[in-house]
Structures are given as structure tokens and as C-alpha cells.
Amino acid sequence: MKTPSQPLLGLILCLTPNLEEGYVLVNVLGLNPSLLNGFKLDRNINYAALHGDILELVPGKYKYVFEFVYETTARAVGNPSAPHTSKQRSEGRIGGSNDNSDSTITPTAEGWWETPPFKGLHIYTSAGVVASKKVAAYDMNGTLIKSNYDVLFPESFDDWQIAFPEVPGKLKKLHACGYKLVIFTNQAAIGKYEMEIFEFRRKIEAVVRKLGVPMQVFISTGPEKYRKPRTGMWDALCERQMQQTGVAINPARCFYVGDAAGRPNLKKPFNHKKDHSCADRLLAMNIGIRFLTPEQHFQNLPKQPWIKPKFNPRKVCRLTANGPLLTPPGALLAEPRQEVIVMVGFPGSGKSHFVWNHLAPKGYDVVNRDTLGSWKNCEVQMVLSLRQGNSVVVDHLNPDVETRKRYVLVARRAKIPIRCFLMDVSYKHARHNIEFRKMTHWSHSSMTDMIFNLYTSKFQEPTIAEGFTEIVKVNFVPDFDTYRYADLYRMYLLDK
């Protein structure tokens, strides 16, 4: 490949060929944008480039064409390894009509429902579904179907119609090109017993019949790991297909289409109301597959702007991995003399984890309002501990001056210095932490919006003027028990 005469700063592309199946994985690692067939490539996502595809290192410059040229050998009778024709490429056929290396794979004979032995997931497999390395995955409401009225969510099981006239034709073409067609849908109302599961099953079967193609449907009914943007439904798809047929799904040859894309109100190129969430786009990002809006996929409209989440778990983990635990850096974790520490932070900000992992082992008595029941009991316990000569840490939200004043006065009467430790964790970060805990430790429960709103409304930044000798910020430093937990934490767990 001929290289540009001038270096392109920030341009890093990783090209990984797969000669057996006739494609090259293209992964943009640098900051400069690159195009594949005129489509802008997102960073850190694998794209499959086929014979004849055009790669532009920089938009409008340095164009390269992918060509697969195979030597003629005695084995090439009938030219089985010849480059794919433009017709094959346009239809998406690689390595045969259904792109499955195992010719013994047969379609399902009839539709059937599964309720796996774990909470929150229902699976429907219609007749004719065939395992494939390639998956075309879709959201349902607002993507494949929509309400008969101008409302976001349907008002009854019969309140639906095909969302775009191009939907059936597009699905049939993809099915003919060897894609397995899949639906991922969140239906929390079923888990809350606000919707009858058997009525919803009949709706799913009617939708699949109307679309006219074999499909597999994954329905998340709870708030746990299967709910988008979490990858539980995708993981179940991959694991079950591998166990049942031995066919591994190749993410580089898959894509996901959904209307929950984080788009604001738009006037051009068409009127579009603000998306209710970003769950579909974030699901694709968590998996690492290409994402398209319904308008892009079915109507070939251009990409639209979207609002990125305020909290990016991958970025936070990357930036804080080797950072200091405390700010200012010279702050002591534990004083050699007797003292009181008052913790301040959102629910889920990591106060108790910090206290029990860093202060309790150093001999600090932990005064926790959740355990003792009231601030008065906390005061009593604090006085007893100080009289015994022990240092004390007060583990609670303590958002405002009035709440913290109680503990400052106790320390002042005992003539013991008091510091304030403020958790440097944002609202969205704290919500992310709570969702992570729910998925990894079953003893943790949900926190309502009311608790977060109450903390936010009462919060006052701690100051020295309150009587503290020092204000110390506790930084988030990622530390996980397993690699699986680390990977989970770096995913988007919130839907906006």
C-alpha cells in the first residue's frame, strides 16, 4: 500500500485481514476521521471491508480500494476462492448464500417461546430462523413498528403499524443475504405486572408475521442485566447460538438499529422530536458494533447529531487509573492523632466502601446513620468512641451545613480536630455506581430519584468556615475484584 507523502498526525488505523471469509477488519484508533464507502468510521469499532470497498484515510484524500487477489492453484477448481463480485458484495453474501460455514445448519421448523431459568428475559424464535455469523439487530417500537397515533409508546397491544414502508423489503433483502434478524426490546411494564406477558407474546408473533421474515426476539422485562443499554440480551444471543449450533457471531459483521439514539429536537433534514433516551446507541457502543438510526438504515438519510452522556465510564476509568486517592496530594489518609472525619457525598458515591477499606482498618470507629437509625444516636456513639480515645468517621450523606454542624459541635466540645472528606463523584457517576452494585452484589437495592433530588437540593459545598481543619476530596480510583467486573463497569449502564 502506498503511503502518503506527508505524515498524518493523529491517524492510526488497524487493518486485520481474514482471507478465508474475504474481508478486512478496519479499526480507527487515532483522532483523525476516516471513511469507508463514504461512511464515517467511529473510533474503536471494527468494520468489515469487502472486495471493492473504498477507504479514505482522510475525507476526500488518500483513497484506497480493497482487492482480494488469490493465486490460482489446483485446489481452485470452480474458482471457489475468487474475489467476490460486485453483485455478491451488494447483496452482502460472503462465502455462500447464507454465509454459514456449517452446511448442516437447518432452519427452525416452527416458532417457539423460551423463558430461561433466570429473571427478566423472554425469547421468541420464529419458524425459519437460521444461525449466522452476521446479525442485523433492531429495537422494536419506533424502529420496526410505531403507534397508530402520534404517541411514543403504544396504548394497547393492537396499537401498532409498520414504522417505515421500507421495513419489510429491507428485512427480506438482509435475510436473503444471510443475516440473522433479531429484535432487542425493553418491556419493563411486564416485570412490574402492568402488562400481561401472554398478550404481549401474541403481539410479538403478529408483528413477526406482518414483517414476513424469520426473526428471533429478546424481551427484557426487568431492570437488571438484560435491560438496554446493558448487553445481557446480546450475550444471551451469542451464548445460545454457540451452544445450540456451534456458530460464533462475528461482531465486526453485525449492526444495530434503534430510535433511542440521544438526538435533540431537529428541524433538518427532517422534523424529529427529542429521543426519549440513548439506550439503543449506547447498547451498540457497549457491544462494539455499528449503530444506525431507523432513518439512516431504512431511508438512507444522513447521520444526525446526538448528545453524548455526561458520564463516560471508560473515560473516567482511563483518566483516574493511576491518579491520587486524595486531593490535595499531600493530604494524610489518617492522622497520627485522634480526630473526627465527616464524609460527604451522593448515595452511591463510594463513601462506605472508602470508609471500610481505608479508615476502619486504621482503627477508626465507624458511625453510620443507616445502621444507628438517627442523628441523635450517631452523636451518642460518637461521644462514646471519643471518650475511649478512638478516632471517628461519620459515614452518611451529610449534604448541608446544618447536618454537619452537629458533628462539628461534638468534636469541638471534646477538643478533637475534625476534617471533612468530600467524595469527588458526580450525580451521573453515582447513579452508574448504584446500577453496577445491583448487578454485582444482590444485597444492594435501588435508590429512588427522590433521594438523589433531596441530596442535590440540600447540598452545600463544605468549607473551612464550618469548623473543619481541612477539606479533602476523595477521588475515584478504579479497583475491581475481577476482570469481568472491570469490563462491566466500563460499559454504559444508564440509558441517557
Side-chain angles (χ1 to χ4, degrees):
M1 178 180 283
K2 185 179 178 182
T3 57
S5 58
Q6 295 181 349
L8 300 176
L9 299 179
L11 176 63
I12 305 176
L13 282 176
C14 178
L15 303 180
T16 308
N18 186 322
L19 300 181
E20 279 190 10
E21 299 189 18
Y23 67 88
V24 175
L25 289 183
V26 181
N27 192 333
V28 178
L29 304 177
L31 298 177
N32 282 341
S34 296
L35 304 181
L36 183 62
N37 298 327
F39 179 83
K40 182 180 177 182
L41 305 181
D42 294 325
R43 292 177 62 197
N44 299 316
I45 292 181
N46 286 320
Y47 295 86
L50 309 181
H51 178 75
D53 284 347
I54 299 174
L55 175 67
E56 298 175 48
L57 298 186
V58 177
K61 297 181 179 180
Y62 312 116
K63 294 184 179 181
Y64 297 90
V65 178
F66 289 94
E67 292 186 0
F68 290 82
V69 179
Y70 297 84
E71 293 182 359
T72 303
T73 65
R75 294 176 55 214
V77 179
N79 205 24
S81 297
H84 307 292
T85 66
S86 59
K87 182 176 186 295
Q88 286 175 314
R89 187 167 63 83
S90 65
E91 294 178 350
R93 288 199 286 268
I94 306 294
S97 60
N98 65 3
D99 196 23
N100 293 324
S101 57
D102 188 350
S103 60
T104 63
I105 297 173
T106 57
T108 53
E110 59 183 17
W112 57 297
W113 281 93
E114 300 172 79
T115 304
F118 25 79
K119 183 180 178 182
L121 181 65
H122 296 260
I123 304 172
Y124 174 64
T125 306
S126 74
V129 169
V130 180
S132 176
K133 299 174 183 179
K134 304 186 297 183
V135 171
Y138 298 87
D139 174 45
M140 188 170 71
N141 293 321
T143 300
L144 297 177
I145 63 173
K146 65 180 181 179
S147 170
N148 291 311
Y149 312 98
D150 189 20
V151 294
L152 180 60
F153 298 109
E155 299 179 352
S156 68
F157 294 109
D158 297 326
D159 177 21
W160 64 272
Q161 60 179 314
I162 300 298
F164 302 90
E166 299 87 351
V167 169
K170 186 80 170 184
L171 297 183
K172 289 173 182 176
K173 182 177 181 181
L174 288 167
H175 174 62
C177 292
Y179 279 88
K180 181 176 183 178
L181 304 178
V182 175
I183 295 175
F184 296 132
T185 179
N186 286 344
Q187 299 295 334
I190 295 174
K192 298 175 182 177
Y193 302 102
E194 298 171 359
M195 183 188 300
E196 175 57 55
I197 179 60
F198 295 107
E199 289 292 332
F200 190 77
R201 285 185 172 188
R202 281 195 281 270
K203 175 180 178 177
I204 290 294
E205 292 173 14
V207 169
V208 173
R209 283 196 302 270
K210 183 72 172 179
L211 294 173
V213 287
M215 301 195 81
Q216 191 167 45
V217 185
F218 290 77
I219 306 165
S220 168
T221 61
E224 310 304 338
K225 66 177 183 177
Y226 299 108
R227 183 170 178 81
K228 297 179 293 186
R230 301 156 200 182
T231 61
M233 288 191 284
W234 170 267
D235 296 337
L237 163 67
C238 296
E239 292 166 5
R240 297 175 75 77
Q241 177 170 296
M242 190 64 187
Q243 291 170 359
Q244 295 171 359
T245 67
V247 177
I249 292 173
N250 184 348
R253 309 185 69 186
C254 303
F255 62 85
Y256 181 67
V257 182
D259 67 315
R263 294 167 292 180
N265 286 316
L266 297 172
K267 298 295 183 182
K268 296 180 179 180
F270 57 91
N271 288 328
H272 178 81
K273 295 180 180 179
K274 180 180 178 180
D275 291 335
H276 65 279
S277 82
C278 200
D280 290 326
R281 187 186 296 272
L282 297 181
L283 170 64
M285 292 174 67
N286 283 340
I287 298 170
I289 61 177
R290 182 183 175 191
F291 174 77
L292 298 153
T293 63
E295 293 80 7
Q296 282 179 275
H297 181 60
F298 293 116
Q299 299 182 316
N300 295 319
L301 293 176
K303 292 178 71 172
Q304 301 147 304
W306 65 287
I307 301 172
K308 295 182 179 180
K310 293 181 179 179
F311 174 69
N312 182 333
R314 300 174 189 176
K315 183 177 180 181
V316 167
C317 288
R318 184 176 68 252
L319 294 178
T320 60
N322 299 311
L325 179 62
L326 304 178
T327 301
L332 294 177
L333 178 62
E335 291 278 6
R337 57 182 179 175
Q338 188 183 17
E339 69 163 342
V340 173
I341 293 176
V342 174
M343 302 299 300
V344 176
F346 275 109
S349 59
K351 298 181 301 298
S352 295
H353 181 272
F354 173 80
V355 165
W356 287 105
N357 283 274
H358 294 283
L359 296 177
K362 294 185 179 296
Y364 284 70
D365 285 355
V366 180
V367 174
N368 184 289
R369 183 168 173 176
D370 291 337
T371 303
L372 297 174
S374 70
W375 63 264
K376 191 64 178 176
N377 291 341
C378 289
E379 282 189 9
V380 172
Q381 183 60 52
M382 186 176 170
V383 170
L384 291 175
S385 294
L386 292 178
R387 286 177 179 174
Q388 294 171 2
N390 298 330
S391 290
V392 172
V393 54
V394 181
D395 177 19
H396 197 56
L397 303 178
N398 302 317
D400 58 341
V401 173
E402 188 64 30
T403 303
R404 298 189 290 262
K405 183 179 179 180
R406 302 181 183 113
Y407 309 116
V408 172
L409 291 176
V410 172
R412 186 177 295 168
R413 286 195 296 266
K415 298 182 180 180
I416 300 296
I418 182 169
R419 293 190 292 167
C420 178
F421 277 27
L422 173 64
M423 304 302 295
D424 192 17
V425 170
S426 68
Y427 165 76
K428 286 291 186 180
H429 192 168
R431 295 300 300 254
H432 178 90
N433 288 347
I434 287 176
E435 295 305 315
F436 174 77
R437 292 175 186 174
K438 285 166 52 182
M439 297 177 68
T440 55
H441 300 88
W442 301 112
S443 59
H444 284 278
S445 58
S446 299
M447 290 282 181
T448 64
D449 290 340
M450 183 182 71
I451 296 175
F452 279 93
N453 294 338
L454 182 61
Y455 178 91
T456 302
S457 65
K458 294 182 67 176
F459 178 73
Q460 295 172 300
E461 185 87 18
T463 65
I464 295 293
E466 295 178 46
F468 297 113
T469 59
E470 187 180 24
I471 309 295
V472 178
K473 284 192 174 182
V474 180
N475 303 311
F476 171 75
V477 178
D479 181 24
F480 304 102
D481 295 336
T482 67
Y483 288 115
R484 184 173 69 85
Y485 283 179
D487 290 340
L488 175 62
Y489 193 90
R490 290 182 175 90
M491 292 184 182
Y492 288 98
L493 304 179
L494 305 174
D495 62 8
K496 62 179 81 173

